[in-house]
Every structure is written in structure tokens, then in C-alpha cells.
Amino acid sequence: MTRVLIAAFDGLQPSQVRVDLTPNLFKFADGGVTFARNHPVFPTVTRINVASLVTGRHPGSHGLAGNTVVMRDYDANNVIEAMEPVLTKVAEKTGDVLLVPTLADTLYDNGEEYVAVGVGTSGNAYVQNPRAEALGGATIHPEFCLPRGVHDQLIGGFGPWPTTTSPNVPQMEHGTRVLIEYVLAERSPTVALIWFSEPDSSNHKAGVGSVLSNQALASADQQFGRIIGWLEGSGTLEETDVIVVSDHGYATIESVVDIEAELRQAGFPSGGQPGGVLVASNGGALLFYAHEADPVTVERLATWLSKQSWCGAMLAAERVGVVPGTLPASVGNIDGRRSPDLTMSFAWSSAPNDAGFPGQTASSGGPVGVGTHGGMSRHELRNTLIARGPSFRRSTVVDTPTGNIDVAPTILHILGLPGGDDMDGRVLHEALDGGDDVSEAECRSVTHAAELGDYRQEVTVTTVRGSAYLDEGNAVLR
């Protein structure tokens, strides 16, 4: 039986898959399928892209709108960070962190198992399999496990997790050992995942292409090489489909906006007051929640934002109606019952950073010159997807648009399991051995535009076989 292993490199850009930076991954990609136009979902932050990877759904559908959010069904008047133990409290109060089934749920329903090892944030790990305590499988993280009892079991067998470092080499090494010796060798689940926290954490600290970032990436690549070597040595590589993913691309911070101070100076009270606004900062994107979702407040907010030099594309939720200058949140695939009232991406350019990596943007935080993500730049909206194994073509480059939403339906198709037809993503037949190619007629790109006074925004979306991919969005003041 074919098994699937997902290896995730947090923040890995396609241009970083090079023989000098990632020799193991480069060699792996050379014999497999490289997806040249892969897309994360927007906002281009980790936890919602993890949710889209494991559900095959856009954020508007799965209900996690960002790394920091307001969930009105949990707490209407406060911004929360999507981390443990807050997510457990959300589940206890509302019933679900994610509003749709995950890959782990579908595997459980069919007598199969999903086990994830997450060396990253606790929120990233939690959304891999939120129902593991009740339904089985497992999520393994340095701080906790689901089911909870697995944590003490692994500490007893492997010792305590190393502390977080920069680059985060000791934890990645420990996580790789747990994956090989416990997950793959002992449990042998139908689908396994390992999440490397690098190069993301080093990109945030020193910038994309920095010495620290390159060292971190090399270390993650070494762990990937260990895993491939174990699969070869155990004789299981030929029956394993290995899928390499990243959650988002990157840009470099060129300026920082203190959005809380800017809002109060503009006369917007805090979110708990009439006319007030709560703002959840997500790096290159801002999520705004008006008091009681008041359309008048949202329109006033959008008008003010449209006059700021750092304002990029703006998307308004259906619940607040037509807001001048904005585009519908459905254009960005983010409209839903937990979506923000207004979402804004910071303005960006394609200017390179000091290491030559293109993409500069304003941000809600972080030092100027280091890496960030969250926004709608084409550089943040391109990420890595590579696959190799018995189900995939050999030495192939797929040029048709694909996305993180396609990973789950493709895995279910490979395994011959149901559930993929209900997802926003599609099966990547063009990458599968014996699969059909996507014709030019099946790809359609549309640029949506809106303006207000001197402000004009454009957002481009490409649709392939019914699945939508956000290409980029920006705005200018004329």
C-alpha cells in the first residue's frame, strides 16, 4: 500500500531550492515533480496555510482567518493569537477550531491514521489534527501532544525536547529522530508529516538570504536527507509518496506601521465601543473587526485607509455590504462566518533586498530589513511544492497554477479515499503518473479592480478546473 510523507519547510521559497543551499532537496526535486506556480492562501501566514493544507479549503471555509484573529463566537471584543492553550479553549466553547473536516478526520473515517511532528508554533501543530484526542492519530510538538498522554510517553522514550535556538537545529534534529524511530518505524501511519521551523524563524530574525537564514535552511535540508536516507535503508522509499511543501513566500520589511496608534489618532475607538475597531496584525496583512460589524464604521475605516501610502489591496466581508474602494472578500477566498469585516494587505514592490531576493513591503511589526509575510505580494503568494514517489511523474515541471489547497484532495485521490470532491482544492492530475494535462482553456485569470478618490487597487485571481488561486494584489495612490 502506498503511504504519504509530507515534509514542510516553513517559509521556503522556490528560489531557495538550489544545489548549494539545499543539496538533498535539490536532488530529490530533480527526479520528481516541481510545481512552478504554487500558491499559499491569503493572508500568507502559517497557521491558516496549515489549515488549508489539511482541509483542502480556503480560509473563508475552514474558519481560521489568521495567526492573530478575532473569533466572535469565542470572544467578540478581544484579539487572540491562534496558539495553545487558547485553541483548546476555543474548541471547548465553540465546538470547533476548524469548521470543516481535516485530512486526519477523513483518514480516521476510513480506518487509516495521520501522525504529525511539528517543530514550529503550537498553533501550527494544533490545527494539524484538532480532534486527535477523540478520533486518533497524533500531533507531536515540543510543548504538547494530541492525544495528551503521548507527550509523556515520548519524553520517556526520547528525553526532553531541546530548547528553541536560532537557527533551531537541535529541535529539528530531535523531531526528525521522533519521526523516524517512533512515527515511521513504530506506528507506520498512512500519512505522516514533519514540519521544520526553518528557514522561517531565521528569516524573521535576520532576513531572507542572510547568513543565518542560509545556515538554518542547510540544517533543515540535512534533516530531510536523514529522512530520505532512512526510507531508502528501510526499503520503504519506493512505496512512499513524499510531498515537500512550504506555507508561504516572503518579502522584506521596508517600513513599519504602528497601526494601533494610527487608528486611535484617526479617531477610531477600541473595538468594544460604538464606532470602534479591533485590529489583528498578521505581518504584511491587517484584519479589522468593527464593533458589532457596523457597516458605517467599516466604510469610514476603508475611506481612511485608502488615503494612506502604505495601504494595499482591501477586501470587505459580505456581511458589511458594498464598501466603496474595496473588493468583496470572496475575491480573496476569505469570506465566511469567521472572516474579518475588512482585510488589508500592505502595499509592496518587487525591489530586491540586500541578498537579492525580490519583494519589499510595509509591515505591522518587526525591524526594517528582515523578512515578513502575510501580504498579497506575488513574492509572498508563491511557495514551494515538490512531489516524488510511485504516484507521480518523474523529472517534470508543472507550470499550471496549483496551491496548498490541492495537497489534501491529491493525497486522498492517491490513497483511493473519498472526501476530496467537497474541497476547494483539486486533484493535481497533471502531476500524477498517467494523469491528464491541464489545457490552456481550463486556466482563466481575472483582474478585479476598485477605486476611491486617488486610490486604485487591483487583485488578480487564476482559476483552474474550478479551484481559485490568488496571484497578487496591490494598490496605488494616483
Side-chain angles (χ1 to χ4, degrees):
M1 176 183 178
T2 298
R3 297 188 182 275
V4 178
L5 172 65
I6 305 169
F9 291 72
D10 202 313
L12 177 66
Q13 297 185 103
S15 58
Q16 292 175 301
V17 182
R18 302 181 343 207
V19 67
D20 58 327
L21 290 178
T22 55
N24 292 299
L25 183 52
F26 183 85
K27 179 181 178 181
F28 171 83
D30 187 55
V33 180
T34 296
F35 298 85
R37 296 174 64 188
N38 198 61
H39 298 70
V41 296
F42 171 78
T44 47
V45 290
T46 298
R47 277 153 256 174
I48 69 169
N49 271 283
V50 173
S52 288
L53 279 164
V54 299
T55 64
R57 304 296 293 270
H58 289 297
S61 300
H62 64 57
L64 187 59
N67 282 353
T68 59
V69 297
V70 174
M71 290 187 179
R72 287 185 167 118
D73 52 345
Y74 173 70
D75 184 344
N77 295 313
N78 286 288
V79 176
I80 62 171
E81 190 169 4
M83 300 273 273
E84 272 291 87
V86 173
L87 292 177
T88 294
K89 296 176 182 177
V90 170
E92 291 171 348
K93 182 173 181 178
T94 69
D96 288 297
V97 169
L98 301 179
L99 305 179
V100 294
T102 65
L103 183 59
D105 297 335
T106 303
L107 289 168
Y108 170 81
D109 290 341
N110 290 274
E112 308 294 345
E113 186 178 59
Y114 177 91
V115 179
V117 179
V119 181
T121 67
S122 62
N124 170 349
Y126 183 93
V127 298
Q128 294 283 348
N129 186 1
R131 299 185 181 98
E133 195 77 57
L135 300 185
T139 292
I140 299 163
H141 183 265
E143 298 172 18
F144 75 103
C145 290
L146 297 175
R148 303 289 177 179
V150 174
H151 186 70
D152 289 341
Q153 175 188 345
L154 292 178
I155 296 296
F158 293 89
W161 283 81
T163 57
T164 303
T165 59
S166 185
N168 199 19
V169 176
Q171 282 195 352
M172 291 193 298
E173 290 177 342
H174 191 88
T176 299
R177 183 185 169 209
V178 171
L179 175 80
I180 290 173
E181 297 181 20
Y182 172 70
V183 177
L184 298 180
E186 184 175 332
R187 296 187 65 150
S188 189
T190 305
V191 180
L193 174 142
I194 184 163
W195 194 282
F196 298 123
S197 58
E198 299 289 6
D200 181 78
S201 61
S202 294
N203 286 345
H204 281 299
K205 185 171 185 178
V208 184
S210 65
V211 172
L212 183 67
S213 173
N214 290 345
Q215 289 174 343
L217 185 53
S219 297
D221 181 71
Q222 289 173 3
Q223 302 314 308
F224 178 72
R226 281 178 62 195
I227 296 166
I228 296 299
W230 183 87
L231 291 172
E232 289 177 331
S234 65
T236 57
L237 183 61
E238 294 305 314
E239 60 188 41
T240 304
D241 287 318
V242 180
I243 300 174
V244 176
V245 301
S246 70
D247 43 347
H248 51 73
Y250 253 92
T252 297
I253 299 174
E254 64 177 357
S255 62
V256 179
V257 177
D258 185 343
I259 188 60
E260 290 283 355
E262 295 277 356
L263 282 172
R264 306 310 164 224
Q265 186 175 350
F268 292 95
S270 62
Q273 304 175 44
V277 175
L278 287 170
V279 57
S281 296
N282 283 265
L286 299 172
L287 315 184
F288 296 98
Y289 302 81
H291 179 66
E292 298 183 349
D294 175 40
V296 174
T297 301
V298 174
E299 182 170 339
R300 179 177 166 232
L301 175 63
T303 300
W304 174 74
L305 287 169
S306 72
K307 298 174 183 177
Q308 312 307 312
S309 61
W310 38 261
C311 179
M314 292 190 290
L315 307 177
E318 182 179 338
R319 75 175 71 89
V320 298
V322 177
V323 180
T326 72
L327 291 167
S330 57
V331 169
N333 307 303
I334 61 173
D335 198 50
R337 68 181 175 92
R338 280 183 176 165
S339 61
D341 301 321
L342 186 69
T343 304
M344 188 211 81
S345 167
F346 281 105
W348 56 274
S349 76
S350 291
N353 69 1
D354 292 342
F357 286 90
Q360 300 268 353
T361 184
S363 176
S364 57
V368 170
V370 305
T372 193
H373 51 89
M376 222 184 275
S377 76
R378 68 174 67 104
H379 314 288
E380 294 157 274
L381 280 164
R382 294 295 182 277
N383 63 320
T384 302
L385 181 61
I386 302 166
R388 182 171 175 174
S391 302
F392 291 93
R393 296 179 178 182
R394 301 280 295 180
S395 302
T396 301
V397 175
V398 169
D399 291 318
T400 52
T402 60
N404 287 349
I405 56 171
D406 301 326
V407 173
T410 300
I411 289 173
L412 291 176
H413 176 81
I414 287 170
L415 298 174
L417 299 178
D421 291 344
D422 297 328
M423 296 177 174
D424 297 323
R426 62 188 178 87
V427 177
L428 298 175
H429 289 286
E430 66 268 38
L432 298 178
D433 187 27
D436 62 316
D437 291 328
V438 175
S439 68
E440 187 174 327
E442 293 178 291
C443 298
R444 181 171 178 262
S445 293
V446 177
T447 297
H448 306 265
E451 56 186 45
L452 179 63
D454 293 332
Y455 168 88
R456 178 179 171 82
Q457 67 162 316
E458 292 186 349
V459 174
T460 301
V461 179
T462 299
T463 302
V464 181
R465 293 181 172 175
S467 294
Y469 310 100
L470 181 58
D471 290 317
E472 62 180 79
N474 208 359
V476 294
L477 285 175
R478 294 171 294 188

